[in-house]
Amino acid sequence: MMTKTLEADNRTATTHFILLGFPTRPAFQLLLFSVFLATYLLTLLENLLIIIAIRSDGQLHKPMYFFLSHLSFLEMWYVTVISPRMLVDFLSHDKSISFNGCMTQLYFFVTFVCTEYILLAVMAFDRYVAICNPLRYPVIMNNQLCGTMAGGCWFCGLVTAMIKMLFIARLHYCGTPNINHYFCDISPLLNVSCEDSSQAELVDFFLALMVIAVPLCVVVTSYVTILTTILKIPSSQGRQKAFSTCASHLTVVSLFYSTTLFTYARPKLMYAYNSNKMVSVLYTVVVPLLNPIIYCLRNREVKASLKKTILCHGIGPRGDETVSS
């Protein structure tokens, strides 16, 4: 394996990292490749179908599904940042990744994670307005506000990632460090830095606190208020109908927050252990696969629209294939 080094500040700066990934026997590597490839392709297909269904069905042109389409679009890119590189490593003996490639992967990964935290909070606020202020819902959640909120989610994600990268990318990584992970994440990179990374850790902690804690407070406050409002509904049928409109989102929020908090709320030294890689698989592979399924199973409108989309974009009335626009 060839690595090049550059001289910077009288120290040897790295131009490559080694991603250790999942060190197993070749036969098991092939099995993992097959499983993760199928998972990746299925995740892309699920989210693409949801986006097509929402865009093509006028009944789903509502704020709730507008944000859901953004979530599906986000998760398509979210898994694409991680999975293709991981799949290549399963089949290759060369586990090296360039410094620029590593930082690019980290930047987009942090962008999508931060954006998803905020987007899930916005979706919780949408459910709060729909259930607690149903008469004013069309006025409050108008197209302009929805567009602004969605754009704000992406903007905050991009800016947060950029600030973090300003501190992480300028650290010195001597030689060709081995990263005990299958992608470039913040804590594994801080662990292999050969200089004091306390400033970068402090910035990362502060921004993580803002991006995780603030949206989490919005989610918790929204659902506490929603639950209080639902319990005041006199009929059990009315309570069930009201809760069903936010059950899928609450499930998605619980999955994403529980898996990511388990990782990012722990000390960086815990990344020395292989168990963290298994937890990371949950929120980088499993959760994006499950989210579309959850929305399909728990939401009748999405389920009905998906059936209609598959039928309409698959086989026409005469049995001929039709081309979707």
Side-chain angles (χ1 to χ4, degrees):
M1 183 184 306
M2 298 182 61
T3 58
K4 298 185 297 180
T5 56
L6 300 172
E7 292 296 328
D9 298 331
N10 296 323
R11 287 180 289 184
T12 303
T14 187
T15 58
H16 288 77
F17 297 97
I18 304 296
L19 293 172
L20 298 182
F22 301 94
T24 58
R25 290 177 297 180
F28 194 65
Q29 290 279 310
L30 188 59
L31 175 62
L32 288 175
F33 171 81
S34 302
V35 171
F36 282 110
L37 176 61
T39 302
Y40 172 58
L41 294 177
L42 185 57
T43 302
L44 292 181
L45 178 62
E46 290 173 344
N47 285 290
L48 182 61
L49 283 174
I50 285 182
I51 293 173
I52 293 174
I54 291 173
R55 289 179 62 86
S56 59
D57 191 342
Q59 293 184 345
L60 298 185
H61 291 175
K62 303 174 184 177
M64 175 181 177
Y65 302 112
F66 170 75
F67 294 125
L68 176 57
S69 65
H70 274 269
L71 180 64
S72 293
F73 178 76
L74 184 154
E75 293 202 327
M76 288 177 67
W77 289 105
Y78 177 69
V79 296
T80 300
V81 169
I82 305 296
S83 294
R85 172 71 210 195
M86 178 174 58
L87 292 170
V88 170
D89 285 344
F90 281 134
L91 302 180
S92 174
H93 293 291
D94 183 7
K95 311 291 184 182
S96 65
I97 181 172
S98 68
F99 180 88
N100 291 334
C102 185
M103 293 303 156
T104 300
Q105 185 186 54
L106 177 62
Y107 174 73
F108 284 107
F109 173 71
V110 173
T111 295
F112 296 136
V113 170
C114 294
T115 301
E116 183 156 350
Y117 275 120
I118 302 169
L119 182 59
L120 289 174
V122 168
M123 294 174 75
F125 174 76
D126 170 71
R127 291 299 83 208
Y128 156 75
V129 178
I131 294 174
C132 300
N133 296 280
L135 298 179
R136 298 183 58 199
Y137 179 71
V139 177
I140 297 174
M141 300 302 294
N142 54 58
N143 292 337
Q144 183 178 359
L145 180 62
C146 290
T148 301
M149 294 175 79
C153 293
W154 288 96
F155 177 77
C156 289
L158 289 166
V159 171
T160 302
M162 187 178 299
I163 296 173
K164 288 191 177 191
M165 292 305 301
L166 288 176
F167 288 87
I168 295 173
R170 69 183 186 183
L171 293 174
H172 288 278
Y173 303 91
C174 302
T176 307
N178 292 333
I179 299 177
N180 188 23
H181 213 24
Y182 58 90
F183 71 97
C184 293
D185 202 358
I186 294 175
S187 293
L189 279 170
L190 293 177
N191 275 328
V192 298
S193 173
C194 58
E195 68 170 309
D196 181 23
S197 60
S198 58
Q199 188 179 35
E201 289 177 50
L202 184 62
V203 171
D204 176 55
F205 174 78
F206 176 75
L207 291 176
L209 187 66
M210 295 296 294
V211 171
I212 297 175
V214 174
L216 182 59
C217 289
V218 172
V219 170
V220 171
T221 302
S222 297
Y223 276 107
V224 167
T225 310
I226 288 171
L227 182 60
T228 304
T229 303
I230 289 176
L231 292 176
K232 292 179 181 179
I233 298 176
S235 66
S236 59
Q237 186 177 0
R239 289 194 297 269
Q240 184 177 359
K241 183 178 179 181
F243 185 76
S244 65
T245 63
C246 56
S248 55
H249 176 255
L250 184 58
T251 305
V252 168
V253 167
S254 300
L255 280 172
F256 184 73
Y257 272 85
S258 61
T259 52
T260 52
L261 282 175
F262 181 82
T263 300
Y264 294 108
R266 299 164 73 191
K268 71 167 190 171
L269 292 177
M270 293 300 291
Y271 267 90
Y273 300 97
N274 290 325
S275 60
N276 258 337
K277 282 187 274 190
M278 302 309 298
V279 177
S280 298
V281 168
L282 292 177
Y283 64 82
T284 60
V285 178
V286 178
V287 171
L289 174 69
L290 293 178
N291 284 351
I293 298 174
I294 292 169
Y295 273 104
C296 292
L297 293 177
R298 303 297 298 268
N299 191 299
R300 293 178 182 176
E301 287 183 306
V302 174
K303 191 189 301 184
S305 181
L306 279 173
K307 289 180 180 178
K308 188 192 304 181
T309 300
I310 293 171
L311 291 175
C312 291
H313 290 77
I315 300 176
R318 296 182 180 179
D320 298 323
E321 290 186 1
T322 60
V323 180
S324 60
S325 58

